[in-house]
């Protein structure tokens, strides 16, 4: 199967100089080859978007929202087909992929309300005879660069808001699981989005760098690992673009001594091993506060042992990633962490990129299993003596994407949400991904830029504001006045 770019409403017909293999991680077989864009394909995709922009910018709000509503209906109808594609190339189990599609729908539904969201303000008589109003206008051509772990949801965090606001988009999905983006492009076309308003460009660093420096690209929304997010932010802003670059994570779940330990253990295992830990909001560190650690680790271990490979948890995305995650398990053992459940020992039939779930106890903050984002099925327990020590640990971490506190004490939870330096906080909720009418974003090394993804921040990011001050001539004229305009 050849997977190629989608430009001006149809598959690209050129010949690619470079391409990459796309695998089915469950069986380890090559599923297809994806074309990698060079500068000429970048130019072609951006030119297609630039040509489509003026017509789409001038389309009425009613016409734009009609496309959004139609896309929503199609996504609901074809959601299972999309989930099957995601599962086949990413490896996550089908039910998990369906959850991804369901969360993506929220961002589409929010963007359906674009006529309301783009309403500006109006102040009558700001000065005598003078009115002031504000307008939100689209930016032009915008680029979206997405990671492998949510090949449907992350593109749909941005594309609906971007097009609803009147922009034209070049989407560069991950080269590891590129087919979902093409499926989505087909659905947008079916929904009535004009050709060229959404283009899909496949490839690697060359494609991304081409977009980051292209003079006709006005803004870049990026999601991926922190080193690449930093590169994208620095390169894009240096080239004068608006950039939001969401990076990696190390999410802590703090369990206070008064917590319901069964609830906490369920949550830790669900959030640690769902999607084989390949989620930016996965819990990778459980912080056991006070004397509960032995009890909590026992309850978590029982649940980890019961996980069924292939049913609860899929394989990792590539062989290289599986080997990298396994090497962290080796390192954890070498550095002295206590290996409670060893995922390397889980045998799975076939030759896919499987690795079982691993649980470490007595992990220290200087160990690589703690310091690095592993992005796999490895859960670490760090023991701390007190609540302040837990907060200090979380706040000292360079990442600040998500965190959760488990407790039955409302006062402690309230204090936690105030003191913790993390962008998304759960109280007895392990994966606090905000609903579609809020916005998603971490703090510190988990996000470069100041605007979060989707929700109100999405509309803000994909538009720029203009303020118009108006006076219509009336019969009285005040004469020339060189003083700075005043309202009184
Ligand atoms: P990645 O950084 O390797 O790749 C992300 C995108 O950047 C891909 O499209 C890729 O082709 C491109 N890319 C890779 N290397 C590049 C380079 N050197 N220069 C320019 N572009 C480059 O990330 P990934 O492995 O696909 O995804 C996993 C990472 O994404 C994890 O770190 C995870 O935490 C993070 N993530 C973060 C969020 C969030 O919301 N903060 C959400 C999902 C994933």
């Amino acid at each position: 199967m050849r997977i190629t770019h989608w430009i001006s409403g149809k598959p690209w017909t050129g010949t690619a100089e470079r391409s990459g293999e796309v695998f089915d991680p469950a069986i380890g077989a090559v599923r297809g080859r994806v074309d990698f864009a060079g500068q000429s394909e970048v130019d072609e995709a951006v030119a297609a978007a630039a040509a489509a922009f003026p017509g789409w910018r001038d389309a009425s709000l009613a016409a734009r929202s009609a496309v959004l509503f139609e896309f929503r209906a199609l996504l609901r109808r074809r959601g299972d087909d999309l989930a099957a594609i995601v599962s086949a190339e990413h490896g996550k189990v089908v039910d998990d992929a369906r959850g991804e599609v369901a969360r993506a729908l929220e961002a589409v539904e929010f963007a359906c309300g674009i006529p309301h969201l783009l309403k500006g303000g109006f102040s009558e008589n700001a000065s005598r005879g003078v009115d002031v109003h504000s307008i939100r206008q689209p930016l032009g051509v915008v680029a979206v660069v997405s990671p492998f772990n949510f090949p449907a949801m992350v593109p749909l965090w941005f594309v609906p808001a971007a097009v609803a606001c009147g922009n034209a988009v070049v989407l560069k999905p991950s080269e590891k699981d590129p087919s979902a983006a093409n499926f989505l492009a087909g659905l947008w076309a079916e929904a009535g989005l004009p050709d060229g308003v959404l283009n899909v460009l496949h490839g690697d660093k060359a494609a991304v760098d081409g977009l980051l420096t292209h003079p006709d690209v006005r803004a870049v929304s990026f999601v991926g690992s922190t080193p690449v997010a930093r590169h994208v932010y620095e390169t894009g802003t240096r080239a004068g673009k608006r950039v939001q670059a969401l990076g990696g994570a190390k999410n802590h779940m703090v369990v206070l001594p008064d917590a319901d330990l069964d609830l906490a253990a369920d949550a830790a295992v669900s959030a640690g091993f769902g999607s084989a830990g390949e989620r930016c909001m996965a819990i990778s560190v459980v912080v056991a506060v006070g004397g509960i650690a032995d009890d909590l680790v026992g309850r978590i271990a029982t649940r980890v042992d019961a996980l069924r490979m292939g049913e609860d948890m899929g394989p990792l995305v590539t062989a290289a990633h599986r080997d990298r995650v396994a090497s962290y398990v080796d390192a954890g053992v070498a550095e002295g962490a206590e290996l409670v459940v060893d995922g390397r020992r889980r045998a799975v039939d076939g030759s896919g990129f499987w690795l079982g779930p691993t649980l470490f106890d007595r992990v220290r903050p200087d160990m690589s299993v703690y310091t690095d984002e592993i992005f796999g099925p490895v859960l670490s327990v760090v023991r701390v003596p007190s609540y302040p020590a837990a907060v200090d640990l979380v706040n000292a971490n360079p990442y600040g994407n998500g965190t959760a506190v488990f407790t039955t004490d409302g006062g402690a939870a309230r204090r936690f949400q105030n003191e913790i330096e993390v962008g998304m906080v759960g109280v007895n909720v392990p994966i606090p991904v905000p609903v579609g009418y809020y916005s998603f974003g971490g703090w510190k090394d988990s996000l470069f830029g100041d605007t979060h993804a989707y929700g109100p921040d999405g509309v803000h990011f994909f538009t720029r504001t203009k303020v118009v001050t108006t006076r219509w001539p009336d019969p009285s004229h005040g004469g020339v006045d060189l003083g700075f305009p005043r309202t009184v």
Side-chain angles (χ1 to χ4, degrees):
M1 176 174 66
R2 178 188 178 198
I3 303 155
T4 194
H5 320 296
W6 175 274
I7 299 177
S8 289
K10 52 184 179 308
W12 188 66
T13 51
T15 308
E17 281 180 17
R18 294 188 304 131
S19 63
E21 290 177 326
V22 178
F23 290 90
D24 177 342
I27 54 174
V30 174
R31 210 176 111 82
R33 289 200 75 87
V34 58
D35 289 343
F36 282 7
Q39 192 59 45
S40 68
E41 290 93 317
V42 171
D43 292 345
E44 207 179 313
V46 174
F53 172 63
W56 182 242
R57 174 194 57 201
D58 294 341
S60 70
L61 289 170
R64 282 194 241 147
S65 67
V67 171
L68 266 294
F69 273 103
E70 190 55 33
F71 179 78
R72 172 187 181 270
L74 286 168
L75 189 58
R76 282 177 67 94
R77 208 175 307 140
R78 304 289 305 281
D80 283 355
D81 298 336
L82 178 58
I85 292 171
V86 168
S87 176
E89 290 186 359
H90 174 282
K92 65 178 74 175
V93 297
V94 170
D95 189 52
D96 191 25
R98 289 198 183 118
E100 165 173 2
V101 175
R103 292 310 300 263
L105 259 170
E106 291 179 17
V108 180
E109 288 167 353
F110 183 78
C112 285
I114 199 65
H116 177 74
L117 295 166
L118 285 184
K119 282 194 288 193
F122 189 94
S123 302
E124 185 185 48
N125 237 14
S127 180
R128 198 162 328 159
V130 174
D131 302 329
V132 179
H133 68 279
S134 63
I135 314 175
R136 286 202 163 279
Q137 295 187 323
L139 306 176
V141 178
V142 300
V144 173
V145 180
S146 55
F148 81 83
N149 67 320
F150 284 109
M153 184 182 78
V154 169
L156 290 178
W157 277 359
F158 302 106
V159 173
V163 299
C165 291
N167 300 283
V169 180
V170 177
L171 165 65
K172 208 302 282 173
S174 169
E175 64 276 37
K176 296 188 178 112
D177 44 15
S179 294
N182 285 15
F183 182 87
L184 290 172
L187 287 194
W188 280 107
E190 209 179 322
L193 192 71
D195 292 350
V197 176
L198 171 64
N199 307 277
V200 179
L201 193 68
H202 292 289
D204 56 3
K205 178 176 170 58
V208 176
D209 287 348
L211 291 167
L212 286 176
T213 50
H214 197 294
D216 290 341
V217 172
R218 300 273 178 256
V220 181
S221 294
F222 171 89
V223 180
S225 58
T226 287
V228 183
R230 188 180 276 119
H231 161 74
V232 165
Y233 186 77
E234 289 174 355
T235 312
T237 52
R238 203 178 306 122
K241 302 182 196 320
R242 183 180 289 196
V243 182
Q244 53 178 181
L246 284 69
K250 194 82 185 177
N251 304 313
H252 298 67
M253 173 175 150
V254 175
V255 185
L256 299 184
D258 67 333
D260 176 332
L261 294 189
D262 280 320
L263 177 77
D266 284 345
V269 175
S270 306
F273 300 104
S275 202
E278 291 172 324
R279 290 181 184 145
C280 63
M281 289 291 276
I283 291 295
S284 47
V285 184
V286 171
V287 185
V289 181
I292 57 168
D294 288 342
D295 193 354
L296 181 62
V297 168
R299 292 177 205 232
I300 294 175
T302 309
R303 288 161 171 80
V304 175
D305 279 330
L307 289 176
R308 295 158 306 172
M309 302 297 287
E311 288 172 66
D312 299 315
M313 215 181 93
L316 292 170
V317 68
T318 58
H321 188 52
R322 188 260 325 269
D323 295 346
R324 182 174 173 274
V325 174
S327 77
Y328 275 108
V329 180
D330 300 341
V333 174
E335 288 167 342
E338 191 179 310
L339 188 59
V340 183
V341 180
D342 185 352
R344 299 167 302 182
R345 292 173 180 273
R346 274 290 183 99
V348 177
D349 290 342
S351 49
F353 311 140
W354 297 89
L355 185 67
T358 291
L359 177 65
F360 277 120
D361 190 9
R362 299 184 187 276
V363 169
R364 291 190 320 267
D366 60 321
M367 296 176 177
S368 62
V369 277
Y370 179 82
T371 56
D372 295 6
E373 183 188 38
I374 300 173
F375 220 56
V378 180
L379 185 63
S380 296
V381 177
V382 178
R383 298 174 175 227
V384 298
S386 63
Y387 169 83
V391 170
D392 287 349
L393 178 78
V394 178
N395 286 351
N397 196 280
Y399 296 108
N401 215 37
T403 189
V405 64
F406 276 70
T407 179
T408 50
D409 180 341
R414 192 166 180 276
R415 207 175 136 187
F416 184 83
Q417 74 189 37
N418 174 262
E419 292 174 347
I420 215 72
E421 292 172 16
V422 174
M424 294 172 281
V425 181
V427 176
N428 297 316
V429 171
I431 306 188
V433 173
V435 288
Y437 40 96
Y438 282 79
S439 298
F440 180 109
W443 285 14
K444 302 194 280 188
D445 285 0
S446 294
L447 186 143
F448 301 92
D450 60 357
T451 314
H452 291 193
Y454 67 77
D457 274 23
V459 175
H460 179 84
F461 184 80
F462 289 118
T463 53
R464 49 185 176 169
T465 314
K466 194 178 267 178
V467 179
V468 183
T469 304
T470 307
R471 183 208 304 274
W472 289 105
D474 65 33
S476 65
H477 295 276
V480 172
D481 179 356
L482 298 194
F484 196 65
R486 300 176 196 202
T487 49
V488 288

